Amino acid sequence: MKPMRLWLLTVIMAVILAGCGGSGGTTATDSGSNPKPDETGTDPGTKTEEAVTLKMFTAYADRANGPGKIEQEIIDAYMQENPNVKIEVEALQDEPYKAKIKVYASTNQLPDIIQAWGQPSFLSPLLDNDMLLELNPDDFSGSNFVAGSVDGFSKDGKMYGIPRNTDYAVLYYNKKIFDDNGLKVPATVAELLDVVKQLRAKNINPVAINGMEGWTLPIMFDYYAQRASGDFTLMDKAFNGEISFTEPNLIQGASDMLAFADAKGFADGWLTADYGTARNLFGQGQAAMFFMGNWEASLATDENFSEDFRQNVGAISFPASDKGSQTDIAAWYGGGYAISKNTKHADAAIAFMKYFFAPDNWPKKVWQSGAGTPAQKFDQYLTGEETELQEQLIDIFTNMTSSAGTPLQDISSDEFKQKSMEIHQQLLSGKITPEQFAKELDAAASKANAK
C-alpha cells in the first residue's frame, strides 16, 4: 500500500517545533462587486437573501463530544452568520450510516451534503451512478490540504469530495490499570500477547474493539501481516492477484492474530460490541486497551468519563516485531464530505463547505479540541496546551516510516468489504483456520476483480 508523502511528515513535524497560534479566518460569503441601487432606489445589497435549507447527513452521531461537537459548532456558527441558511443534520454511527446511505442512493434522494469516505467501497457506487457533484479544487485552494489527501476523493482527474481527517490506527491504554497490575506497556507483539495473558489472569478485559461492525479487524490484520513480513504492500498485491493471500507471511500474520484472539485478547462480548459499546467499555475502565483510530484523541477530554480515566489514557503505536517497526503505521485519509449532484442548492452547499474547511474552522477547532487530526496543515494552531494524549498521537504520526494506505476492506466494492469483514470475524471467532481464511480472501478478491 502507498507510503505517506514524505513532505507530509515534515509538515506535521513542524507541529511539534512550532508554538504559534493561528489568526485570521475566511468565510464563504460572497459580497460580489459594488452593487448599485435599483430603479426603486433600494440598495440590492440590503435585500433579504433567499431562504435555503440544506440537509446534511453525517456519521458523527455524538453531537456533544469530540469531532461531532466541532462539526455542530461550525454548523451553528455558519447559520448564525448566514441567517437565511438552515442546515438540518441527520447523524448516525458509521455502520447504520452506511446502511441508510444505500437507501437514499437507491431512491436517488441523497441529502445535499453527505459524509463520504475516500475509498472505493464507499465512493464507487455513487460515482458509477453519477450521484455526486463535481467540485472545483480552486474553491478550496486556501484550505491547505496536505499532499495526497484529496486523491481518494477524486476520479479521472476530477474532484468529488473533500477530505476531513488524517487517520491512523493506534492502541489506547489505561495507564492506571497497567501501573496497578505491574504491567509493562507492550513494545512487541510477543509482549502484547503476554500482557493479554496477565490481564486475563486478573479477570481484566484486555482490548476493547467493535467486532460486531467488523471494520477494525482487517486493519488489525494489516498490522499483524506487516509485523510478520515487514511489508505493507503484500495486502495490495494479494488483492490484485499478484500473489495469494496464502503467501507464508500473510498466513503467519493471520495465525498471530488468531493466537491473540484465542488468548482472549479481545474484551468479553467483542463480537456483539459496536463502536459506542467498545469505547464506553474502555472509557469506563472496564478494559485495559482500545484498538481504534487517532480521532479518539478526545478520550482525554470527554467529561462523560471520569477525571481519573482522562488523566490516565495514553496511546502507543501497534507493537513491533523483528521485521516490522512501531513506526510502520496503518494510516490513511478517512472521512470527508461530498455534495449530491441533485441538490437544488449547489452554490449554498459549496459555500458552506468552503466555510467549514476555512483554516480557522475545522482544522483549528478539531486540533485544539483534541478531537482528531485534520487533513489540512495545522502547525500554526499548536497552543502549547495540548493534552499528553495529543502529544503522543503527534509523536506516533511524525515518526512514521511507512504506512498501509487504504484498509483492505475499503479497497474495492461494498460487497467485497462486507465479505472481507465477515471472513475476519469467522477467523477470530475460531470458525475457520488461517489457511481457510486466506483461501476465502482469495476467492472474495477474485470475485471483486472480475467485475
Side-chain angles (χ1 to χ4, degrees), residues 109-127:
Q109 294 182 337
L110 290 181
D112 301 283
I113 300 169
I114 64 168
Q115 175 158 326
W117 284 265
Q119 298 152 349
S121 64
F122 183 87
L123 278 185
S124 291
L126 299 175
L127 292 175

Side-chain angles (χ1 to χ4, degrees), residues 123-137:
L123 278 185
S124 291
L126 299 175
L127 292 175
D128 291 346
N129 288 285
D130 197 26
M131 291 186 173
L132 300 182
L133 184 71
E134 180 185 346
L135 302 175
N136 183 353

Side-chain angles (χ1 to χ4, degrees), residues 20-27 70 73-74 77 81 142-144 353-369 374 376-382:
C20 57
S23 62
T26 61
T27 65
I70 303 305
E73 286 178 353
I74 297 174
E81 294 178 29
S143 298
N144 299 322
M353 285 287 94
K354 289 170 66 177
Y355 178 91
F356 188 94
F357 287 104
D360 272 7
N361 286 331
W362 176 257
K364 178 181 180 180
K365 295 177 187 297
V366 77
W367 173 252
Q368 292 188 349
S369 69
Q376 298 163 262
K377 299 176 185 177
F378 63 94
D379 52 296
Q380 68 268 40
Y381 301 124
L382 191 70

Side-chain angles (χ1 to χ4, degrees), residues 289-306:
M289 293 172 279
F290 181 34
F291 183 72
M292 192 47 67
N294 61 299
W295 54 84
E296 283 292 358
S298 59
L299 283 167
T301 57
D302 188 344
E303 294 186 359
N304 286 310
F305 301 135
S306 69

Side-chain angles (χ1 to χ4, degrees), residues 75-96:
I75 291 169
D76 292 343
Y78 187 78
M79 290 192 293
Q80 184 174 1
E81 294 178 29
N82 299 270
N84 64 303
V85 179
K86 180 180 181 181
I87 301 174
E88 297 179 348
V89 177
E90 180 181 7
L92 297 174
Q93 290 191 11
D94 281 15
E95 296 311 308

Side-chain angles (χ1 to χ4, degrees), residues 194-252:
D194 185 57
V195 165
V196 163
K197 293 175 181 178
Q198 292 183 64
L199 287 166
R200 278 296 175 189
K202 297 174 181 289
N203 295 316
I204 299 172
N205 277 311
V207 179
I209 195 167
N210 57 328
M212 180 180 74
E213 295 165 337
W215 55 266
T216 42
L217 304 179
I219 298 173
M220 182 175 278
F221 177 46
D222 228 342
Y223 269 128
Y224 272 108
Q226 195 279 338
R227 299 308 190 244
S229 65
D231 187 355
F232 270 130
T233 70
L234 291 184
M235 206 75 80
D236 273 348
K237 290 177 180 177
F239 175 80
N240 293 330
E242 299 171 42
I243 61 174
S244 168
F245 279 100
T246 61
E247 193 273 341
N249 285 304
L250 294 179
I251 291 289
Q252 185 62 55

